[in-house]
Amino acid sequence: MSHANPTALIADDEPLLRASLKRLLQQAWPELAVIAEARNGREAVERFEALSPDICFLDVHMPGLSGVEAARFIGRRAQLVFVTAFDRYAVQAFESGALDYLVKPVEPDRLADTVSRLQERLRAGQVMDADALVAQLAERLRKGSAPAALRWIRASVGQTVRMIAVEEIDYLRSDSKYTRIAWRGDEGKPAEALVRTPLKELLAQLDTAQFAQVHRAVVVNMNAISHVVRGDNETASIHLRGRDDVLPVSRNYLHLFRQM
C-alpha cells in the first residue's frame, strides 16, 4: 500500500464526472496517479483486480453493479471513497459510519479534506476496516425491497478476474472443491470459469424462478435449456442452446420436466 506515488481508480458512469474528478485530484494531489477509470461497478472490480490501485473513488449509483456492491468485492485491499449525488442521504448514511464520501458536484475544499485523510492513512499504512459499514450501506440501499438474489459472481478466468452477471450463466457444476460456471462471455460465446464457493452455497443465493438443481452436482438456468431427452431408469439429459454440453438429470429432479 505504500507506493512512492499513490495510485487511484475512478468509477462513474458519467465520463464528464470522471474527467472532472480527475482534474480536481490533479490539482489537490499532483503526486496521485489515476491509473484506471471504470464506467460501472463490474469494470471497477475487474480493473482493481488487474491493477491494484491504492484508492478507489466509487460512484454509489451505477448501472449493473453499484459502487457499494463493488466496494464489497474490493474490501480492505484499498482505501475507499464513495461519490454520491444525494446530499441528505449521504450525510446520514456515511457520517453515521465514518466512511469517506464526496458529494457531487465535488467541492475543492471538501476534496482537500478527503485527500489529507487519505494521505495520512497511506503514510500510516492503515486501511479502514469498512467491511461492516459497507454491508450496512448496501442494506440501506436495498431497504424496502425483498432480499436480493445473487446478481454477480467473481470468478477467475486464466490470469484475470471477471465479474460474471448471473443472468449470463447457463449452468453451474460441482468440480471437486470448486464450482465450474458455464456462461456466455464476450459476444455471447460459451465460456467457463472456476469459483471456490461450493455449489450448495451459490444455489442458496440464486433466483429459484430462473435456476433449478437437476442433479446433486448440477444447477441449470432454465432459460438456457433447448430441450430435454428422457433416458432409461427415470433419468434424462438436458441439451442447451448454443452449447454442446449435455447435462444429466437425476431421478430425484425428473419431476421438474414431467410436463415437457
Side-chain angles (χ1 to χ4, degrees):
M1 275 313 232
S2 55
H3 298 264
N5 272 4
T7 54
L9 170 150
I10 297 174
D12 196 309
D13 53 323
E14 297 279 347
L16 290 174
L17 292 172
R18 286 200 306 273
S20 156
L21 180 55
K22 193 173 174 181
R23 196 170 54 248
L24 287 166
L25 280 166
Q26 278 164 352
Q27 291 160 7
W29 195 353
E31 301 78 27
L32 180 70
V34 175
I35 55 169
E37 293 185 33
R39 294 168 299 180
N40 52 51
R42 178 188 193 164
E43 277 188 9
V45 175
E46 288 176 359
R47 303 265 157 88
F48 175 80
E49 297 288 355
L51 300 166
S52 300
D54 298 310
I55 304 160
C56 296
F57 292 89
L58 304 169
D59 183 22
V60 171
H61 294 277
M62 289 185 285
L65 193 73
S66 74
V68 177
E69 290 168 313
R72 297 185 78 171
F73 284 105
I74 293 164
R76 275 176 276 181
R77 294 178 291 162
Q79 309 283 350
L80 301 173
V81 181
F82 292 102
V83 185
T84 180
F86 300 98
D87 198 345
R88 193 185 63 209
Y89 162 79
V91 170
Q92 291 170 347
F94 293 106
E95 290 198 340
S96 63
L99 287 168
D100 276 318
Y101 74 93
L102 294 165
V103 175
K104 298 177 192 178
V106 175
E107 307 261 335
D109 292 355
R110 171 78 194 165
L111 182 62
D113 290 346
T114 302
V115 162
S116 59
R117 270 202 305 279
L118 291 167
Q119 288 170 332
E120 190 52 48
R121 271 194 229 129
L122 286 174
R123 262 198 301 276
Q126 294 171 333
V127 180
M128 210 162 97
D129 182 0
D131 292 1
L133 295 171
V134 170
Q136 282 167 19
L137 190 57
E139 206 45 56
R140 283 197 184 204
L141 283 174
R142 275 205 302 269
K143 236 179 187 168
S145 61
L150 188 66
R151 291 171 53 215
W152 300 87
I153 292 177
R154 182 164 157 254
S156 300
V157 182
Q159 293 301 302
T160 61
V161 170
R162 291 294 297 258
M163 295 297 291
I164 299 171
V166 165
E167 70 232 25
E168 291 172 3
I169 295 172
D170 288 338
Y171 68 88
L172 305 91
R173 191 171 199 155
S174 248
D175 189 340
S176 62
K177 290 180 189 167
Y178 299 90
T179 300
R180 184 173 297 280
I181 293 177
W183 57 296
R184 299 292 163 147
D186 302 325
E187 293 160 19
K189 292 195 186 96
E192 290 196 354
L194 285 176
V195 293
R196 290 178 188 273
T197 315
L199 182 63
K200 191 176 170 187
E201 213 173 291
L202 289 169
L203 178 61
Q205 301 174 67
L206 292 169
D207 180 355
T208 50
Q210 189 177 0
F211 288 88
Q213 185 156 19
V214 294
H215 182 278
R216 66 187 165 76
V218 181
V219 170
V220 69
N221 181 344
M222 301 299 264
N223 299 331
I225 296 174
S226 160
H227 57 283
V228 178
V229 178
R230 290 287 178 99
D232 302 330
N233 301 325
E234 297 277 306
T235 61
S237 52
I238 292 173
H239 295 254
L240 302 164
R241 293 197 186 104
R243 267 196 128 96
D244 297 333
D245 319 36
V246 176
L247 305 176
V249 180
S250 58
R251 183 180 298 180
N252 294 347
Y253 300 101
L254 198 61
H255 65 274
L256 294 170
F257 304 105
R258 286 260 189 263
Q259 274 68 47
M260 293 181 89

